[in-house]
Amino acid sequence: MTEPLLYLSTRGQSPAATISSAIAAGLAPDGGLYVPEALPRLDPGAFDPHGTLADTAATLLAPFFTGDPLAEALPAICREALDFDTPLRPMPRHDAHMLELFHGPTAAFKDVGARFLAACLRRLPRADERPLTILVATSGDTGAAVGAAFHRQPGVRVVILYPDGLVSPRQAHQLGCFDDNVQALRVQGRFDDCQRMVKAALNDAALQAERPLSSANSISLGRLLPQMSYYAHAALGWWHEHDSPLNLIIPTGNLGNALAALWVREIGLPIGEICLSCNANATLPEFFEGQDYRPREAVATVANAMDVGAPSNFERLRWTFPYAAELRAQTQAISVDDSTIRDTLSRHAREHGEVFCPHTATAMHLLDRLRSVGNSSPWTIVATAHPAKFESVVEPLVGHPVAVPPALAAMLERTASAEVMDADDEALKRWLREPAYA
Ligand SMILES: *Cc1c(COP(=O)(O)O)cnc(C)c1O
């Protein structure tokens, strides 16, 4: 058998792990994030040019699963998880394209990672008979995707933590609508608090011994790796048609989606420039402009799924490009404030009849800026969610109701509820220990 590809912690203090155990664990024991010991290299010629998204994913991810018990099931996992399209649609008015990542069950790109993670965990044998509790901190979209992916899966409970009042009404409804094995907690704080609480619980060995815990944040390799698939698929399709690489503008918060694109380029597939568009949380734009990396508290914006002041995947980015100069050369990032997001949404609706979600609007604004300084490259902007999820922001700006996709409509018809929790690590730990919960 071929040597397995092993995974190391970005903090260097954990033993090497197989992909199965890295996926099962979420976070490495030293608090770092798992990364492959070396990124594989792949040749565009290795892919079936007529393959589906799931076929592309299976070829792309095979080297990451080399020698692992999940390797054999990988094509089936990809078919299960990636059973919806991620079309690349022309935007002729802008000489650009849009990569639509919102055709999954919860109408945001997070469905891809959540469904892949669920398909892996379903197949991993567990020594422990007790249910596995999956903790997920969400700034809005992750929680719903993970809840939907694990809903009614035997042996798994999902606990969703979201910042109360900082997600859209429809997002809150989605998060609380699952019942059964999926519970939502409305945390009296910000997304960064939710993320910190999850990390604290996962890092508590005594708690882990009582309640087996795992995470489903974008820190999980089981979510990050499959996100490479749609970039690889779109880039290969583009390359066959145009014989040139695909240039991307990616709305970015925690850096999971953008890191996947950077990895696809790094492993040798035809992606050209990658630009990041952030909201008013400017940690990444400041770093890429040359300032020190300065993580901070997030501020709330109308693009709430990107309200991140301390992007956790930055550790992986740094591992990938250890030298600051090399890292800064990989991409550029801009910060787009709320009034510019609003202005972009209303202007594009008025002038072109186009409707985006507020996150996608940050990418659209960056494209507008590039065009206004004479850049005529064939850019692809990445649409991370359906605008109907953010109706309270979008509809007043575009001046008409946005049609709700059927899967989202079905969720909105269910009743929803969520428990209140203080933004306190110990409060979550106590709650998880409660016998009623076992
Ligand atoms: C999660 C999310 C983002 C940000 O993605 P990251 O991987 O955290 O950078 C952008 N847009 C939407 C709609 C999202 O749900």
Side-chain angles (χ1 to χ4, degrees):
M1 189 159 127
T2 348
E3 283 291 300
L5 178 64
L6 291 177
Y7 290 79
L8 309 172
S9 164
T10 46
R11 300 200 184 159
Q13 305 297 315
S14 300
T18 62
I19 182 78
S20 293
S21 51
I23 287 177
L27 203 62
D30 62 2
L33 279 65
Y34 280 115
V35 286
E37 52 188 345
L39 276 178
R41 298 281 308 174
L42 271 159
D43 187 298
F47 292 81
D48 174 359
H50 308 292
T52 61
L53 172 63
D55 295 333
T56 300
T59 305
L60 174 74
L61 300 179
F64 289 89
F65 284 76
T66 304
D68 190 84
L70 282 177
E72 206 178 316
L74 184 62
I77 292 171
C78 293
R79 279 195 302 275
E80 246 170 74
L82 299 162
D83 63 349
F84 51 89
D85 282 339
T86 55
L88 187 62
R89 293 204 197 282
M91 304 181 85
R93 287 187 189 88
H94 308 285
D95 264 333
H97 282 71
M98 176 177 275
L99 181 60
E100 292 182 356
L101 303 182
F102 52 68
H103 296 282
T106 70
F109 79 88
K110 307 286 200 314
D111 283 320
V112 169
R115 289 167 65 77
F116 187 92
L117 177 65
C120 289
L121 291 181
R122 269 198 284 282
R123 289 171 169 86
L124 286 177
R126 288 190 57 228
D128 203 317
E129 301 265 287
R130 293 171 298 172
L132 178 67
T133 299
I134 295 180
L135 298 176
V136 49
T138 185
S139 53
D141 288 334
T142 294
V146 172
F150 288 96
H151 192 208
R152 302 197 173 133
Q153 181 166 322
V156 174
R157 287 166 182 274
V158 175
V159 178
I160 301 168
L161 287 81
Y162 71 90
D164 198 12
L166 297 180
V167 306
S168 84
R170 278 191 188 152
Q171 281 179 311
H173 193 103
Q174 272 191 314
L175 295 168
C177 81
F178 293 104
D179 67 36
D180 304 305
N181 63 330
V182 180
Q183 261 172 300
L185 301 173
R186 0 186 219 118
V187 173
Q188 304 305 297
R190 296 163 198 271
F191 169 66
D192 289 339
D193 295 309
C194 300
Q195 191 155 253
R196 190 203 62 238
M197 289 161 74
V198 165
K199 279 195 182 178
L202 289 168
N203 285 334
D204 185 326
L207 177 62
Q208 280 272 14
E210 282 172 59
R211 293 270 184 274
L213 299 174
S214 184
S215 79
N217 282 90
S218 59
I219 50 180
S220 168
L221 272 180
R223 285 190 46 202
L224 182 64
L225 295 178
Q227 289 173 180
M228 296 167 68
S229 313
Y230 41 78
Y231 291 121
H233 196 65
L236 289 164
W238 181 268
W239 182 66
H240 284 297
E241 206 174 314
H242 303 273
D243 204 19
S244 65
L246 186 71
N247 300 316
L248 295 163
I249 303 177
I250 307 179
T252 298
N254 223 1
L255 253 178
N257 198 12
L259 181 64
L262 288 160
W263 278 11
V264 169
R265 183 170 71 184
E266 203 53 25
I267 70 177
L269 298 191
I271 290 184
E273 284 183 72
I274 297 175
C275 289
L276 316 184
S277 58
C278 300
N279 59 24
N281 292 281
T283 307
L284 291 170
E286 288 175 11
F287 172 80
F288 283 106
E289 272 160 24
Q291 300 179 33
D292 287 342
Y293 181 65
R294 204 164 54 79
R296 64 199 77 161
E297 282 208 349
V299 298
T301 75
V302 292
N304 64 19
M306 301 179 352
D307 289 351
V308 182
S312 44
N313 277 299
F314 193 75
E315 270 189 56
R316 283 197 172 108
L317 189 65
R318 230 184 209 155
W319 167 87
T320 312
F321 308 103
Y323 301 103
E326 185 195 15
L327 174 50
R328 288 202 175 93
Q330 298 302 315
T331 183
Q332 35 178 320
I334 64 154
S335 168
V336 183
D337 64 22
D338 274 3
S339 71
T340 309
I341 292 175
R342 289 201 177 92
D343 180 60
T344 303
L345 286 169
S346 56
R347 200 165 45 77
H348 278 265
R350 198 172 58 240
E351 292 176 4
H352 309 296
E354 295 165 335
V355 183
F356 316 110
C357 89
H359 313 81
T360 307
T362 63
M364 194 63 231
H365 170 71
L366 178 47
L367 178 66
D368 288 343
R369 258 182 40 177
L370 289 165
R371 293 295 184 240
S372 75
V373 296
N375 179 307
S376 59
S377 297
W379 290 98
T380 287
I381 73 168
V382 175
T384 48
H386 194 286
K389 278 190 103 161
F390 304 93
E391 83 291 2
S392 54
V393 174
V394 173
E395 290 181 350
L397 294 167
V398 303
H400 59 81
V402 180
V404 178
L408 177 56
M411 288 190 161
L412 297 176
E413 270 166 29
R414 305 213 283 259
T415 55
S417 68
E419 245 180 84
V420 178
M421 179 166 291
D422 287 335
D424 170 16
D425 298 358
E426 295 309 314
L428 175 63
K429 291 183 188 179
R430 271 197 307 278
W431 189 87
L432 289 167
R433 282 197 165 96
E434 271 171 25
Y437 183 70

